[in-house]
Amino acid sequence: MIYLASPYSSPSHQIRVQRYNQVMEKASQMVKEGRIVYSPIIHFHEMAERHNLPTDYAFWKYLCEQMLFKADSLALYKMPGWEESVGMSGEIELARKINLPIEEIIYVPRS
């Protein structure tokens, strides 16, 4: 199972929705390729929206860590905002600590 990490948190609702849509598109492509993908953004964005849950990494950290422990690898989706993402930094740090293979996926905007 591939844990697909991507940026999400932002004060802007519009940016969070845009990031959700971008990672959904990438995950869909990966599934079409026959890859087994888990993305916390895809899994929890709608829940956070509907139930007024926090959208910051501090709230989701424990859950993300538990899923990383179950993953076979970490895929870093390097879409805009990834370098500033506190969540992705934490996920990378844990993946290195537990020796998970890390794959980098470069974001290519749709034309």
CSV table of all heavy atoms in Angstrom, one decimal, residues 18 28 32 40 42 47 50 53 61 75 78 82 86 103 108-109 111:
chain,number,residue,atom,x,y,z
A,18,GLN,N,-8.8,22.9,-3.9
A,18,GLN,CA,-8.0,22.7,-5.1
A,18,GLN,C,-6.9,21.6,-4.8
A,18,GLN,O,-6.8,20.7,-5.7
A,18,GLN,CB,-7.2,24.0,-5.4
A,18,GLN,CG,-6.3,23.9,-6.6
A,18,GLN,CD,-5.6,25.3,-6.9
A,18,GLN,OE1,-5.4,26.1,-6.0
A,18,GLN,NE2,-5.2,25.5,-8.1
A,28,SER,N,-6.2,8.8,-8.6
A,28,SER,CA,-7.0,8.1,-9.6
A,28,SER,C,-6.1,7.5,-10.7
A,28,SER,O,-6.3,6.4,-11.2
A,28,SER,CB,-8.0,9.0,-10.2
A,28,SER,OG,-9.0,9.4,-9.3
A,32,LYS,N,-5.5,3.5,-11.7
A,32,LYS,CA,-5.6,3.0,-13.0
A,32,LYS,C,-4.4,2.2,-13.4
A,32,LYS,O,-4.5,1.4,-14.3
A,32,LYS,CB,-5.9,4.2,-14.0
A,32,LYS,CG,-7.2,4.8,-13.9
A,32,LYS,CD,-7.4,5.9,-14.9
A,32,LYS,CE,-8.7,6.6,-14.7
A,32,LYS,NZ,-8.8,7.9,-15.6
A,40,PRO,N,-4.5,10.4,2.9
A,40,PRO,CA,-5.3,11.0,4.0
A,40,PRO,C,-6.2,12.2,3.5
A,40,PRO,O,-7.3,12.4,4.0
A,40,PRO,CB,-4.3,11.4,5.0
A,40,PRO,CG,-3.0,11.5,4.3
A,40,PRO,CD,-3.1,10.5,3.2
A,42,ILE,N,-7.6,12.5,0.5
A,42,ILE,CA,-8.8,12.0,-0.1
A,42,ILE,C,-9.8,11.4,0.9
A,42,ILE,O,-11.0,11.6,0.8
A,42,ILE,CB,-8.4,11.0,-1.2
A,42,ILE,CG1,-7.7,11.6,-2.3
A,42,ILE,CG2,-9.7,10.3,-1.8
A,42,ILE,CD1,-7.0,10.7,-3.3
A,47,MET,N,-15.0,14.5,5.1
A,47,MET,CA,-15.3,14.4,6.5
A,47,MET,C,-15.1,15.7,7.3
A,47,MET,O,-15.9,16.2,8.0
A,47,MET,CB,-14.6,13.3,7.2
A,47,MET,CG,-15.0,13.0,8.6
A,47,MET,SD,-13.9,11.8,9.4
A,47,MET,CE,-14.1,10.3,8.4
A,50,ARG,N,-17.7,18.4,6.1
A,50,ARG,CA,-19.1,18.1,6.6
A,50,ARG,C,-19.2,18.2,8.1
A,50,ARG,O,-20.3,18.6,8.6
A,50,ARG,CB,-19.6,16.8,6.1
A,50,ARG,CG,-19.8,16.7,4.7
A,50,ARG,CD,-20.4,15.3,4.4
A,50,ARG,NE,-20.6,15.2,2.9
A,50,ARG,CZ,-21.5,14.4,2.4
A,50,ARG,NH1,-22.3,13.7,3.1
A,50,ARG,NH2,-21.6,14.3,1.1
A,53,LEU,N,-14.3,19.6,11.1
A,53,LEU,CA,-13.1,19.1,11.8
A,53,LEU,C,-11.9,20.0,11.4
A,53,LEU,O,-11.9,20.7,10.4
A,53,LEU,CB,-12.8,17.7,11.4
A,53,LEU,CG,-13.8,16.7,11.7
A,53,LEU,CD1,-13.5,15.3,11.1
A,53,LEU,CD2,-13.9,16.5,13.2
A,61,LYS,N,-2.2,14.2,12.9
A,61,LYS,CA,-0.9,13.6,13.0
A,61,LYS,C,-0.9,12.2,13.4
A,61,LYS,O,-0.3,11.3,12.8
A,61,LYS,CB,0.0,14.4,13.9
A,61,LYS,CG,1.4,13.9,14.0
A,61,LYS,CD,2.3,14.7,14.9
A,61,LYS,CE,3.6,14.1,15.0
A,61,LYS,NZ,4.5,14.6,16.0
A,75,ALA,N,4.8,7.9,-1.1
A,75,ALA,CA,4.9,8.7,-2.3
A,75,ALA,C,4.7,10.1,-2.0
A,75,ALA,O,3.6,10.5,-1.4
A,75,ALA,CB,3.9,8.2,-3.4
A,78,LYS,N,4.7,16.1,-5.1
A,78,LYS,CA,5.4,17.5,-5.1
A,78,LYS,C,4.6,18.5,-5.8
A,78,LYS,O,5.1,19.1,-6.8
A,78,LYS,CB,6.8,17.4,-5.5
A,78,LYS,CG,7.7,16.5,-4.6
A,78,LYS,CD,9.1,16.6,-5.0
A,78,LYS,CE,10.0,16.0,-3.9
A,78,LYS,NZ,11.4,16.2,-4.2
A,82,TRP,N,4.1,21.9,-1.4
A,82,TRP,CA,4.7,20.7,-0.7
A,82,TRP,C,5.9,21.1,0.2
A,82,TRP,O,6.0,20.5,1.3
A,82,TRP,CB,5.0,19.6,-1.6
A,82,TRP,CG,6.3,19.7,-2.3
A,82,TRP,CD1,6.6,20.4,-3.5
A,82,TRP,CD2,7.6,19.2,-1.9
A,82,TRP,NE1,7.9,20.3,-3.8
A,82,TRP,CE2,8.5,19.6,-2.8
A,82,TRP,CE3,8.0,18.5,-0.7
A,82,TRP,CZ2,9.9,19.3,-2.7
A,82,TRP,CZ3,9.3,18.2,-0.6
A,82,TRP,CH2,10.2,18.5,-1.5
A,86,VAL,N,3.8,21.3,6.7
A,86,VAL,CA,4.2,20.7,7.9
A,86,VAL,C,3.9,19.2,8.0
A,86,VAL,O,4.6,18.4,8.5
A,86,VAL,CB,3.5,21.5,9.1
A,86,VAL,CG1,3.7,20.8,10.4
A,86,VAL,CG2,3.9,22.9,9.1
A,103,GLU,N,9.2,7.5,-2.7
A,103,GLU,CA,9.1,7.8,-4.1
A,103,GLU,C,8.7,9.3,-4.2
A,103,GLU,O,7.8,9.8,-3.5
A,103,GLU,CB,8.1,6.9,-4.7
A,103,GLU,CG,7.6,7.3,-6.1
A,103,GLU,CD,6.4,6.5,-6.6
A,103,GLU,OE1,5.9,5.7,-5.9
A,103,GLU,OE2,6.1,6.6,-7.8
A,108,VAL,N,2.6,17.9,-12.4
A,108,VAL,CA,2.5,18.5,-13.8
A,108,VAL,C,1.1,19.0,-13.9
A,108,VAL,O,0.1,18.3,-14.0
A,108,VAL,CB,2.8,17.4,-14.8
A,108,VAL,CG1,2.7,18.0,-16.2
A,108,VAL,CG2,4.2,16.7,-14.6
A,109,PRO,N,1.0,20.4,-14.0
A,109,PRO,CA,-0.3,21.0,-14.2
A,109,PRO,C,-1.0,20.5,-15.5
A,109,PRO,O,-0.3,20.3,-16.5
A,109,PRO,CB,0.0,22.5,-14.2
A,109,PRO,CG,1.4,22.7,-13.9
A,109,PRO,CD,2.1,21.3,-14.0
A,111,SER,N,-3.0,21.0,-18.8
A,111,SER,CA,-3.0,22.1,-19.8
A,111,SER,C,-4.4,22.4,-20.3
A,111,SER,O,-5.3,21.7,-20.1
A,111,SER,CB,-2.0,21.9,-20.9
A,111,SER,OG,-2.2,20.5,-21.4
